[in-house]
Amino acid sequence: MSTRPKLTVDANEGVANVAYRLNEVMAIYPITPSSPMAEFCDQWVSEGKKNLWGTIPSVVALQSEGGAVGSVHGALQTGSLATTFTASQGLLLMIPNMFKIAGELAPAVFHVTARAIATHALSIFGDHSDIMACRSTGWGMLGSASVQEAVDFALIAQAATLRSRIPFVHFFDGFRTSHEVQKIEMLTDADLRALIDDKLIAGLRARAMSPDRPVLRGTAQNPDAFFQGREACNTFYTACPQIVQDAMDQFAKVVGRAYKLFDYVGAPDAERVIVLMGSGCEAAHETVDYLVKKGEKVGVLKVRLYRPFDACKFVEALPVGVKSIAVLDRTKEPGATGEPLYQDAVTALAEALMNGFGKLKTMPKIVGGRYGLSSKEFTPAMVKAVFDNLKQKQPKNHFTVGITDDVSHTSLPVDPEFSTEPDNVIRAMFYGLGADGTVGANKNSIKIIGEGTDNYAQGYFVYDSKKSGSMTVSHLRFGPEPIRSTYLVSRANFVACHLPMFLEKFDMAKPLVPGGTFLLNTPYAKDEVWAKLPTPLQKSLIAKKAKFYVIDATKVARDSGMGGRINTIMQVCFFALSGVLPRDKAIESIKYSIKKTYGKKGEEVVAMNLKAVDNTLEHLHEVPVPKNANGSGGLLPPVTPNAPQFVKDVLGKLTAGEGDDLPVSAFPVDGTFPTATAQYEKRNLALDIPVWDEKICIQCLKCVAICPHATIRAKVYESAALKGAPAAFKSTAARVPEFKGMSFTLQIAAEDCTGCALCVDVCPVRNKTEAKLKAINMRPQAPLRAQERENWNFFITLPEFDRRKLKVTQLRQQQFMRPLFEFSGACSGCGETPYIKMLSQLFGDRAVIANATGCSSIYGGNLPTTPYCVDKGGRGPTWNNSLFEDAAEFGLGFRVSIDKQKEFAAELVKKLAPQLGDDLVNGIVNAGQTDEAGIYEQRERVAALKQKLAKLDSPEVKLLLPIADMLAKKSVWILGGDGWAYDIGYGGLDHVLASGRDVNVLVLDTEVYSNTGGQMSKSTPRGAVAKFAAGGKPMGKKDLGLIAMTYGNIYVASVAMGAKDEQTLRAFVEAESYPGPSLIIAYSHCIAHGIALDMGVGARQQKLAVESGQWLLYRYDPRRTEVGENPLQLDSQAAKTKVQDYLLSENRFKMLTKSKPEEAKKLFAQAQVDADRRWKFYQYLSGRDLKSGAAPAAPSKPSATADQQP
Amino acid sequence: MDLTTTYLGLKLRTPLVPAASPLSEEIDNLKRMEDAGASAVVLYSLFEEQLRQDRLELNHYMESGTFSFAEALTYFPEPEEYHLGPEDYLKHIANAKKSVKIPIIASLNGSSPGGWTQYAKLVQQAGADALELNIYYIPTNMNLPAGEVEQTYLDVLKAVKAEITIPVAVKLSPFFTNFANMAKRMNETGADGLVLFNRFYQPDIDLDTLEVKPNILLSTPMAMRVPLRWIAILYGRLKCSLAATSGIHRASDVLKMLMAGADVTMLCSTLIRHGVGQISVIERELVAWMEEHEYESVTQLKGSLSQKNCPAPSAFERAQYMRAISTYSVP
């Protein structure tokens, strides 16, 4: 019996554990799904954990993966054991240095969670396209198929690189392996020591650059030398496979698990063999075991060492009698003769027969196929389909499996009923709400079972692409044998629905096996719940003879002090009903685990969880399943009935969770999708929605401005338009003098609201007789849903007010503009989206948006539906996301291209003057387009132009027509977060700002990498705790605005809508009107700050930040210098409160006082100094009188009164 | 001039003691207090409720939004350990003891029966010379009789006294139906001293925002009248020490409190307003007054104008101005 610790971890944690112990320097950068490895390492450093040699490694976070790999290269060249963790685009950014590192034979292992590369779309999920993109770098490539293998290969790769001097990419499948929780055996220090020879490390040191024994590397070589030099490394590559095998053999001796470069599993006399690598090997292995037992002559060859590819070993590993081979690639190489692994296999076999190595006498039939791109499911049924294909006389080549390709007809038919799952595996599915703790509890259950029994355990978690109200589906398996099912549970013994709302949307009982158990969290009593279920669910439960249990977990949670966290309660129910463990033992284990998990967070947290455990069982009830269905109706349609056909047929399917059923023909060929589709997906997330009190509303429209999801709208209209209004539709007289005599309505999109309550918080009005009420108040959604749906539908038919007549710098007028960004998937209470919405209101009809990857690209552009939308005329923002790092350059490309086309169009217009008439030509060419009216008129002129052109025919006309629209103003916007602007995209941003071109940059500054889970950026303020800054960020925030101002010709604004909304509005209007580069840095509160986002406090936090001097409001307008004015206007007032008052109101700062109190004291004091200094400096800059050239008066203290601002 | 006094059995150089306030959060301030002549110092309060709140809040924010979205499964690093208990406060007591020679009186506000005793023991172990129980409770439950409320106070005191050996003072509010009776029962239950009185945060209304905002106002000399009355009434009737706090800003205030019967006078607002150095100013003025009026010691002053010893004892009981009372008494 092994004494190695058994852990239930995912591969990220397991691999990081080994990599940390085997390295001295780690240069890191976050990218999904590899980020947790870097986070673990950074955290262990802050905890003082030592590596194998008894020293704490150095971890340094860089500005990009390009930076990280550069630092690793440097560390390697100076003799350190160095590593990094990455995936996808990150790995691509490392390629140039990877060539160098391999060229210099510097030993290193990079751990890569293999992930799709963005092509027609971005995907965070797993496939091998990133790995394949760097196969020419000269790196060894070792692929793991499971969590255990990933841990093992992390060591084997390190041993191999030190021995061979060839650097290695150790890869495992993103999410499927990186995030799959499995019970594994962790390697001990003794295991590591047994394989790692310190003499080889001494060799690394001896080869290192040192001025004590100087050498020169990185020379430039000419034709006379380069080629020979490049070939000089060959012997290392020839020797490498055997070195890896030796390391594997030694590992087997020490640890007991044996691996081969190519591991064959299956019938010794197999005739049909599948070749593949990565997590798919496990599903294939499971299927082969099943089929071989049934007498089929099949096998699977798992490729471990992909580079250097040992053709001889590959052929030798194949069974002698193999007649047909399918090589499966988890990548696509359009235009190639086949995908890479297939090509390697064909070449190896051809060479084997040509040169006589291996045992094969004749060339087997060999076909290649693609599977599992972007974590598409790869199941035993698909493996079976591949074997069935190999049975054919002419097996289909270059096939796909797992999709329906009705365009090129590449796909293989798959039998959906085929399953290999044995009866002794308990399979459970849990449908949870993101915020309810379901996933955490399930991870905990796996630990309890994995570590407390001899059972094997597996957990895999599917998350939503929306950030608010998201559903999580946990897939758990427990069984006596190792679990190789690297695919989702589709036949569950136990299904739990943690949120009753899901019942309306999905057929929960679909995956349930006959006789299985269905558990529902519901507020209804056991004798009334049945009638409340949708009919299809009732029918399923009856047909499957299911056991049905209910609990009001929400009530039990509330009574136990757990708030909305029902995790512990549902966990107890699972253990009570599933029978995985005896009930008493299970309860005892849960309690032990609660104490272990929450112990350090204090006795109260432990106590409330224990109380929840004790309160659960008495509230768990079985509901007898009647014979007949008499339910509450069918499932809700995924999109509204008025949705266009494409939305219904394609996006609706995706919304309903049935995207896997869509064939290839359903999709656009180039990744182009319509906008304005979010309006059809009614998510009904909010338990409470805002309700307008028209009697006391002052019509300031602050609520409209702050609403992150554009669900609060205001219109002014002639009263006659009210004809036909629903009875409950509210209307009152407009208060703004300009709209005297008109009617005013504030309407809430009840079905799109996420219930964040930001609107209530910013409402400045209080009810005179009951001060707790404002002009907008939260009320339960359910009873209002139907009425407000009708009101909303009427409201959107009311005419929009003429944009030309609105004062755009007055919020109470500007907010009548229709948002062209609505109902996004951003977090409830998001601090970023109000800015984008404002942009879309002001300029959406002419906006071309380049969006850096990040939160804004996910809620802005993640399928199924799209929040960017169109106005009545069909105009609206056009949007694209290139990469994380290049949004500025991408946007500059838009600008240059649009300007060029506009210039060319104007040239053509002038050429065509005789036919078009001088008036029209002059009007078009000299159009001002500086305001709404000017743009409107130009659009009219362009329309007239197009009408005229339609009647003309000449080469110029043909050239002009397609670009005539470019004559009307186009506003280029570059959007991104601080991770982009301050770090990875900074070089490009700086260059684009310096270009002088008319682009507008909006930095949604959350001061942290929000989308990837809260890693520090250079915008993170001093003292904030973030990942990669676990001990509090010691450095202050970079002043991006100040840097930009040094150019002198860039419009720069620093804004915080929650603090001063009209200053934000002015900044947007000025930035866009400035005919050069503009930069708006927008303070965006964020869930990663640790604030009660769902309680609507975001705007208050912005205000606090400004009032404490932590965030400055200013506008720097170069145009002011032309009239002799100081370009910098400081819009903040002197600090009213201490910085610490603000810091202690956010968990990101406050938690430092709990984790490192001394450090917190020091950093918070420095933060005050930062704020004081910044205030003085800005006051000095803005106070200079440029007209007289006089120096300003001495800067006053930050505690000066408000009226001292310039 | 003999300024010495005894409080909670502690022999003090003067009756000037800084009350619990944020000033005592910094060791440097404690040193300054000692240098300025403070004879002992009451540390800021350890609030069990605050610790509890912090723990729940931290847990909430660490878990909030986690495991919802594939790219951001969590938002914060999970520290290996948290300082969520009273460790910092206990460390502060130990540091204070190391840094100054004057007695250190810890202050504790518990919220659970177990919390009071547990923290009291820890405070004693950390080296505090005495403990001030900062018991405050604003009953708003209409069904809760006064007797039960009072019993809660006594139970806390009794439980704490049973667990520790250092002297225990109780800081109270004046809001009892019969404060004298309450003081007596406190004394009987084992209080070594009473600190009169606690000034709570009181609600205020912000007319700009129409919100209720609790805040604390620095005291004015007016605030000393309530403790002055009760100290004068209690003087000589209880075994335990009496500390005066609220509204003591100048030497004249100290003198009045001593004359009413206080063993020590506790300073807070004046130190926040004028700085810790104010202690030496008050001491100088106190000595000057005593010299001018030929007093020899604080002992001599103490209780000289208490209800027991003053010429018109009923003045301390009077709640309304009544003209007749000074000229005519009912037969």
Side-chain angles (χ1 to χ4, degrees):
Chain A
M1 187 76 186
S2 163
T3 53
R4 290 182 187 82
K6 298 272 193 305
L7 299 180
T8 45
V9 291
D10 63 18
N12 273 336
E13 186 174 352
V15 168
N17 185 312
V18 175
Y20 184 87
R21 286 184 282 163
L22 292 177
N23 281 287
E24 297 164 306
V25 172
M26 296 164 213
I28 54 175
Y29 191 77
I31 185 166
T32 307
S34 73
S35 309
M37 287 189 282
E39 290 162 15
F40 276 118
C41 291
D42 180 63
Q43 190 171 321
W44 292 330
V45 166
S46 77
E47 291 169 10
K49 188 174 164 176
K50 291 176 176 165
N51 70 7
L52 192 60
W53 296 275
T55 182
I56 303 168
S58 281
V59 172
V60 55
L62 270 295
Q63 90 288 7
S64 75
E65 290 89 349
V69 74
S71 295
V72 170
H73 187 190
L76 294 171
Q77 283 305 320
T78 43
S80 288
L81 294 163
T83 188
T84 188
F85 313 95
T86 195
S88 189
Q89 320 295 133
L91 189 60
L92 297 198
L93 287 178
M94 293 189 178
I95 287 178
N97 257 294
M98 288 171 71
F99 275 98
K100 296 285 297 178
I101 293 167
E104 292 167 347
L105 290 173
V109 179
F110 289 2
H111 301 276
V112 174
T113 52
R115 165 182 155 181
I117 287 172
T119 48
H120 64 293
L122 169 144
S123 167
I124 59 168
F125 293 100
D127 67 34
H128 300 161
S129 44
D130 53 358
I131 297 303
M132 290 306 185
C134 51
R135 66 188 195 279
S136 60
T137 55
W139 281 55
M141 292 187 177
L142 192 63
S144 320
S146 68
V147 180
Q148 181 68 66
E149 284 181 20
V151 170
D152 295 349
F153 287 11
L155 172 58
I156 290 169
Q158 187 76 13
T161 193
L162 287 170
R163 295 172 198 190
S164 67
R165 291 190 57 189
I166 290 176
F168 270 76
V169 167
H170 165 230
F171 67 94
F172 43 100
D173 288 355
F175 282 105
R176 187 66 252 182
T177 309
S178 69
H179 283 57
E180 179 182 297
V181 179
Q182 277 261 14
K183 175 175 170 176
I184 58 143
E185 193 178 75
M186 185 42 74
L187 302 175
T188 62
D189 280 0
D191 297 334
L192 271 51
R193 211 171 286 286
L195 261 83
I196 303 298
D197 185 350
D198 283 354
K199 274 191 216 134
L200 295 171
I201 298 166
L204 174 73
R205 315 280 202 219
R207 291 190 298 273
M209 292 166 64
S210 162
D212 297 329
R213 37 185 169 72
V215 293
L216 183 76
R217 290 198 189 110
T219 54
Q221 299 181 352
N222 300 322
D224 55 346
F226 186 91
F227 194 171
Q228 304 92 301
R230 192 75 191 96
E231 295 295 330
C233 65
N234 289 353
T235 51
F236 288 82
Y237 287 88
T238 316
C240 184
Q242 190 54 50
I243 289 173
V244 176
Q245 187 58 60
D246 289 346
M248 286 175 162
D249 293 346
Q250 197 188 353
F251 180 89
K253 259 189 211 152
V254 175
V255 181
R257 282 184 292 279
Y259 299 105
K260 293 268 180 288
L261 303 185
F262 300 95
D263 259 328
Y264 176 76
V265 175
D269 57 348
E271 293 173 354
R272 288 170 288 146
V273 171
I274 290 177
V275 178
L276 79 174
M277 57 186 180
S279 64
C281 292
E282 293 288 284
H285 185 146
E286 181 180 296
T287 316
V288 163
D289 281 350
Y290 178 90
L291 293 174
V292 167
K293 268 189 206 151
K294 299 216 172 260
E296 298 219 29
K297 293 182 178 177
V298 293
V300 57
L301 188 66
K302 304 177 189 176
V303 177
R304 313 291 201 187
L305 182 69
Y306 177 56
R307 284 286 182 274
F309 194 89
D310 189 327
C312 186
K313 287 266 177 8
F314 171 76
V315 178
E316 283 172 0
L318 287 165
V320 193
V322 64
K323 289 183 180 154
S324 55
I325 298 172
V327 185
L328 296 182
D329 270 281
R330 202 162 198 161
T331 187
K332 179 171 174 66
E333 207 170 297
T337 51
E339 271 62 37
L341 185 58
Y342 166 76
Q343 290 199 34
D344 288 323
V346 171
T347 307
L349 282 167
E351 286 192 0
L353 288 163
M354 214 155 48
N355 302 330
F357 61 77
K359 288 167 275 181
L360 299 185
K361 297 293 171 233
T362 54
M363 184 76 172
K365 276 180 190 157
I366 177 163
V367 293
R370 294 180 293 279
Y371 74 104
L373 264 63
S374 173
S375 290
K376 177 71 83 187
E377 278 286 272
F378 184 60
T379 63
M382 295 169 197
V383 177
K384 169 84 164 29
V386 176
F387 280 126
D388 289 347
N389 181 47
L390 289 180
K391 262 190 204 160
Q392 307 297 315
K393 212 167 173 189
Q394 279 299 328
K396 187 178 266 191
N397 198 358
H398 307 301
F399 62 82
T400 57
V401 65
I403 57 170
T404 306
D405 179 3
D406 56 343
V407 174
S408 344
H409 307 288
T410 58
S411 53
L412 302 180
V414 174
D415 171 12
E417 296 305 315
F418 180 80
S419 168
T420 54
E421 296 224 42
D423 292 339
N424 59 1
V425 174
I426 291 181
R427 300 177 293 276
M429 285 175 76
F430 302 81
Y431 293 83
L433 178 71
D436 69 8
T438 298
V439 171
N442 285 329
K443 287 191 171 179
N444 190 259
S445 297
I446 298 167
K447 261 194 197 312
I448 288 174
I449 294 166
E451 292 171 17
T453 73
D454 291 337
N455 276 315
Y456 286 87
Q458 178 205 45
Y460 188 74
F461 307 93
V462 178
Y463 302 95
D464 215 311
S465 58
K466 298 269 201 304
K467 294 178 184 233
S468 52
S470 56
M471 185 174 79
T472 61
V473 188
S474 308
H475 298 255
L476 270 57
R477 287 185 177 93
F478 307 101
E481 308 290 333
I483 295 164
R484 299 187 185 280
S485 307
T486 47
Y487 49 91
L488 302 178
V489 172
S490 60
R491 290 168 177 77
N493 317 90
F494 181 93
V495 173
C497 174
H498 289 196
L499 187 72
M501 216 168 67
F502 293 151
L503 292 177
E504 296 177 325
K505 298 184 179 176
F506 306 99
D507 182 0
M508 295 274 147
K510 196 173 165 190
L512 202 63
V513 295
T517 301
F518 180 63
L519 169 67
L520 175 66
N521 168 30
T522 173
Y524 294 114
K526 62 178 174 175
D527 46 1
E528 56 176 358
V529 67
W530 178 259
K532 306 286 183 188
L533 301 184
T535 314
L537 174 63
Q538 289 183 334
K539 284 183 178 163
S540 279
L541 294 176
I542 293 167
K544 291 183 174 178
K545 295 191 169 61
K547 293 192 264 312
F548 178 33
Y549 290 86
V550 292
I551 183 168
D552 188 350
T554 313
K555 183 177 181 302
V556 178
R558 217 174 29 238
D559 294 348
S560 313
M562 303 269 292
R565 309 276 293 182
I566 58 166
N567 48 358
T568 303
I569 295 142
M570 298 307 280
Q571 187 186 14
V572 171
C573 294
F574 165 67
F575 275 108
L577 299 176
S578 66
V580 189
L581 287 177
R583 195 179 274 201
D584 290 347
K585 191 180 173 201
I587 303 279
E588 189 191 318
S589 303
I590 293 172
K591 287 188 169 178
Y592 172 75
S593 149
I594 285 170
K595 286 174 196 156
K596 209 170 134 194
T597 311
Y598 298 110
K600 66 176 173 180
K601 290 183 178 171
E603 61 206 54
E604 292 79 11
V605 182
V606 172
M608 71 185 185
N609 276 282
L610 293 179
K611 193 173 170 192
V613 172
D614 290 334
N615 287 349
T616 296
L617 290 180
E618 59 182 294
H619 292 92
L620 176 65
H621 304 291
E622 181 165 13
V623 178
V625 174
K627 291 204 169 72
N628 295 315
N630 61 338
S632 63
L635 297 179
L636 291 177
V639 292
T640 54
N642 65 333
Q645 209 56 43
F646 177 78
V647 175
K648 275 187 185 152
D649 294 348
V650 179
L651 304 183
K653 281 265 189 191
L654 298 175
T655 306
E658 294 165 1
D660 285 333
D661 299 340
L662 286 169
V664 171
S665 65
F667 289 89
V669 295
D670 57 359
T672 308
F673 282 82
T675 63
T677 51
Q679 61 181 308
Y680 304 114
E681 190 185 358
K682 297 298 173 195
R683 301 177 67 220
N684 284 299
L685 293 177
L687 292 177
D688 295 307
I689 54 165
V691 171
W692 177 46
D693 182 348
E694 73 278 18
K695 292 183 196 73
I696 65 169
C697 176
I698 58 168
Q699 302 175 14
C700 65
L701 305 195
K702 283 178 184 290
C703 57
V704 180
I706 204 76
C707 176
H709 290 79
T711 63
I712 306 181
R713 307 274 176 93
K715 278 186 184 176
V716 276
Y717 49 90
E718 298 299 340
S719 308
L722 278 170
K723 201 178 160 201
F729 190 79
K730 290 181 187 169
S731 178
T732 187
R735 290 174 70 126
V736 176
E738 286 89 336
F739 308 136
K740 209 176 166 194
M742 298 182 76
S743 290
F744 172 91
T745 292
L746 190 82
Q747 178 63 46
I748 286 94
E751 297 191 288
D752 303 296
C753 173
T754 66
C756 72
L758 265 174
C759 50
V760 178
D761 205 52
V762 300
C763 178
V765 185
R766 285 198 182 267
N767 187 305
K768 294 257 182 320
T769 53
E770 206 177 335
K772 70 181 175 198
L773 296 178
K774 293 186 158 188
I776 193 159
N777 303 292
M778 300 305 281
R779 294 284 176 264
Q781 191 247 26
L784 292 168
R785 191 192 287 183
Q787 166 194 312
E788 290 309 310
R789 182 192 298 138
E790 202 188 347
N791 287 341
W792 174 260
N793 287 340
F794 177 76
F795 176 84
I796 53 178
T797 64
L798 288 173
E800 297 285 343
F801 193 82
D802 187 343
R803 294 168 60 91
R804 290 172 293 172
K805 294 178 185 160
L806 293 171
K807 282 186 187 153
V808 289
T809 52
Q810 277 186 14
L811 196 82
R812 61 189 324 188
Q813 292 202 30
Q814 180 273 331
Q815 281 299 315
F816 287 119
M817 292 175 153
R818 188 211 192 288
L820 298 177
F821 175 81
E822 61 186 12
F823 320 141
S824 76
C827 293
S828 184
C830 175
E832 296 186 354
T833 47
Y835 296 110
I836 301 180
K837 187 185 62 174
M838 183 176 270
L839 184 171
S840 81
Q841 289 173 303
L842 289 164
F843 322 115
D845 62 354
R846 49 191 181 271
V848 190
I849 300 176
N851 207 136
T853 311
C855 274
S856 55
S857 75
I858 297 302
Y859 59 65
N862 206 120
L863 289 189
T865 59
T866 311
Y868 287 98
C869 55
V870 294
D871 65 12
K872 212 172 61 186
R875 289 193 179 89
T878 183
W879 183 96
N880 201 335
N881 157 240
S882 172
L883 298 170
F884 190 10
E885 61 268 27
D886 74 343
E889 300 92 314
F890 191 44
L892 179 68
F894 291 172
R895 182 77 274 163
V896 175
S897 150
I898 290 166
D899 287 353
K900 181 61 239 172
Q901 290 177 50
K902 184 182 173 191
E903 185 182 64
F904 184 41
E907 287 164 7
L908 291 168
V909 167
K910 283 186 211 159
K911 273 189 197 165
L912 291 166
Q915 292 100 306
L916 297 171
D918 285 345
D919 281 355
L920 182 61
V921 170
N922 288 336
I924 285 175
V925 174
N926 301 320
Q929 302 195 68
T930 52
D931 58 14
E932 288 291 328
I935 293 166
Y936 180 88
E937 284 157 21
Q938 179 75 341
R939 284 181 185 152
E940 297 277 291
R941 285 189 285 265
V942 171
L945 168 71
K946 282 157 83 176
Q947 269 180 3
K948 286 198 176 183
L949 291 176
K951 293 176 196 146
L952 300 173
D953 186 22
S954 73
E956 285 84 6
V957 169
K958 287 198 176 101
L959 289 171
L960 178 55
L961 249 177
I963 57 172
D965 283 332
M966 289 299 183
L967 291 161
K969 181 167 183 174
K970 303 287 177 281
S971 183
V972 171
W973 283 86
I974 297 164
L975 269 56
D978 47 287
W980 160 70
Y982 288 69
D983 289 355
I984 196 169
Y986 176 68
L989 173 64
D990 175 64
H991 193 86
V992 169
L993 289 175
S995 73
R997 301 297 288 243
D998 186 8
V999 294
N1000 308 291
V1001 180
L1002 173 59
V1003 179
L1004 301 155
D1005 194 347
T1006 60
E1007 306 189 320
V1008 73
Y1009 285 74
S1010 305
N1011 194 54
T1012 48
Q1015 296 84 3
M1016 156 188 86
S1017 79
K1018 283 202 287 297
S1019 170
T1020 304
R1022 202 192 294 276
V1025 175
K1027 290 173 186 166
F1028 301 177
K1033 190 175 171 225
M1035 291 287 293
K1037 179 186 172 93
K1038 162 172 161 179
D1039 195 338
L1040 182 64
L1042 188 62
I1043 297 171
M1045 279 185 250
T1046 61
Y1047 282 106
N1049 66 334
I1050 297 167
Y1051 178 90
V1052 185
S1054 171
V1055 304
M1057 191 187 281
K1060 222 175 191 180
D1061 42 25
E1062 287 211 340
Q1063 188 257 358
T1064 304
L1065 180 57
R1066 273 201 297 277
F1068 271 82
V1069 172
E1070 288 169 2
E1072 206 260 357
S1073 70
Y1074 181 66
S1078 304
L1079 171 69
I1080 300 175
I1081 304 166
Y1083 179 97
S1084 306
H1085 61 255
C1086 178
I1087 190 169
H1089 293 176
I1091 55 173
L1093 200 60
D1094 51 349
M1095 308 286 280
V1097 303
R1100 215 182 303 167
Q1101 291 307 117
Q1102 296 196 16
K1103 208 168 170 192
L1104 255 180
V1106 170
E1107 286 180 351
S1108 67
Q1110 173 84 352
W1111 185 272
L1112 281 189
L1113 303 178
Y1114 61 81
R1115 287 166 297 142
Y1116 179 97
D1117 191 339
R1119 284 170 291 201
R1120 287 167 58 89
T1121 51
E1122 291 160 16
V1123 289
E1125 290 173 328
N1126 189 316
L1128 179 63
Q1129 294 167 277
L1130 196 46
D1131 298 322
S1132 281
Q1133 298 184 343
K1136 286 185 192 162
T1137 59
K1138 291 214 164 67
V1139 167
Q1140 179 148 324
D1141 295 342
Y1142 160 73
L1143 301 183
L1144 290 177
S1145 68
E1146 300 195 346
N1147 189 52
R1148 57 175 167 156
F1149 301 106
K1150 191 175 179 183
M1151 68 178 282
L1152 192 63
T1153 66
K1154 305 296 169 200
S1155 58
K1156 300 196 177 222
E1158 291 305 318
E1159 195 65 9
K1161 206 176 268 182
K1162 198 178 87 195
L1163 292 176
F1164 289 7
Q1166 284 175 7
Q1168 184 66 55
V1169 174
D1170 292 343
D1172 292 348
R1173 192 179 294 153
R1174 193 167 51 238
W1175 168 257
K1176 278 184 195 162
F1177 185 58
Y1178 272 79
Q1179 215 187 27
Y1180 174 78
L1181 289 179
S1182 63
R1184 295 191 78 85
D1185 177 356
L1186 295 190
K1187 266 184 192 153
S1188 67
S1196 59
K1197 286 179 186 165
S1199 55
T1201 52
D1203 56 8
Q1204 279 176 316
Q1205 63 166 314
Chain B
M1 182 63 61
D2 179 9
L3 296 180
T4 56
T5 184
T6 302
Y7 175 59
L8 307 177
L10 303 166
K11 186 100 176 148
L12 305 182
R13 191 185 66 80
T14 75
L16 303 179
V17 175
S21 84
L23 288 172
S24 55
E25 284 172 10
E26 300 293 333
I27 292 290
D28 280 353
N29 275 346
L30 298 181
K31 288 184 191 159
R32 269 185 228 121
M33 288 172 184
E34 183 175 46
D35 292 346
S39 63
V41 62
V42 186
L43 294 183
Y44 66 95
S45 271
L46 169 66
F47 284 94
E48 185 189 358
E49 185 65 35
Q50 182 68 50
L51 294 178
R52 189 185 142 79
Q53 179 64 26
D54 280 356
R55 288 193 281 257
L56 291 171
E57 186 183 284
L58 182 82
N59 179 57
H60 172 77
Y61 286 123
M62 294 300 281
E63 292 198 342
S64 167
T66 59
F67 299 113
S68 298
F69 179 66
E71 296 206 65
L73 296 180
T74 60
Y75 290 101
F76 293 107
E78 182 77 58
E80 198 177 23
E81 57 163 345
Y82 292 109
H83 300 261
L84 290 168
E87 300 86 15
D88 289 346
Y89 190 79
L90 302 175
K91 217 189 283 171
H92 190 61
I93 295 176
N95 283 342
K97 284 300 295 174
K98 263 187 247 157
S99 310
V100 296
K101 292 195 180 68
I102 52 175
I104 295 295
I105 303 168
S107 170
L108 170 64
N109 176 273
S111 66
S112 65
W116 284 104
T117 49
Q118 182 202 342
Y119 292 131
K121 271 195 283 185
L122 292 170
V123 160
Q124 173 169 303
Q125 281 164 18
D129 296 291
L131 174 63
E132 181 175 292
L133 297 179
N134 178 13
I135 313 181
Y136 70 86
Y137 176 53
I138 299 182
T140 54
N141 179 352
M142 289 188 175
N143 299 316
L144 187 64
E148 283 181 33
V149 177
E150 292 177 1
Q151 193 56 46
T152 310
Y153 281 75
L154 299 170
D155 290 347
V156 166
L157 175 61
K158 193 173 173 189
V160 169
K161 279 296 288 182
E163 291 289 345
I164 61 174
T165 53
I166 55 173
V168 175
V170 184
K171 192 169 186 177
L172 292 165
S173 84
F175 306 118
F176 290 93
T177 307
N178 180 356
F179 183 77
N181 170 263
M182 196 61 205
K184 177 171 169 266
R185 285 156 74 200
M186 281 284 174
N187 185 37
E188 287 164 2
T189 309
D192 299 288
L194 298 179
V195 186
L196 311 180
F197 286 108
N198 199 345
R199 294 177 70 248
F200 307 134
Y201 269 57
Q202 302 286 9
D204 189 19
I205 287 173
D206 183 328
L207 288 177
D208 291 330
T209 60
L210 297 189
E211 283 170 358
V212 179
K213 287 180 178 162
N215 61 20
I216 195 156
L217 297 171
L218 293 182
S219 72
T220 61
M222 185 59 206
M224 68 177 281
R225 299 296 180 86
V226 182
L228 184 85
R229 173 197 295 257
W230 283 107
I231 286 171
I233 292 169
L234 296 177
Y235 177 79
R237 298 180 181 183
L238 303 174
K239 274 193 211 148
C240 63
S241 307
L242 294 172
T245 178
S246 294
I248 303 168
H249 290 240
R250 292 180 297 261
S252 55
D253 303 332
V254 172
L255 286 161
K256 290 175 190 175
M257 285 300 194
L258 291 173
M259 289 174 174
D263 295 303
V264 288
T265 52
M266 292 189 173
L267 312 171
C268 179
S269 295
T270 188
L271 304 188
I272 291 174
R273 205 174 267 140
H274 303 295
V276 169
Q278 188 68 8
I279 301 170
S280 57
V281 175
I282 294 176
E283 185 179 330
R284 261 199 319 274
E285 289 172 2
L286 178 69
V287 171
W289 190 92
M290 287 172 73
E291 280 172 355
E292 194 185 329
H293 295 82
E294 299 179 352
Y295 279 86
E296 286 168 3
S297 68
V298 160
T299 313
Q300 207 180 3
L301 273 171
K302 219 188 269 181
S304 55
L305 272 158
S306 62
Q307 190 182 34
K308 220 164 123 185
N309 298 336
C310 77
S314 63
F316 285 111
E317 290 169 15
R318 215 172 289 156
Q320 295 292 334
Y321 175 71
M322 286 183 282
R323 184 190 297 270
I325 223 157
S326 58
T327 53
Y328 174 76
S329 61
V330 181

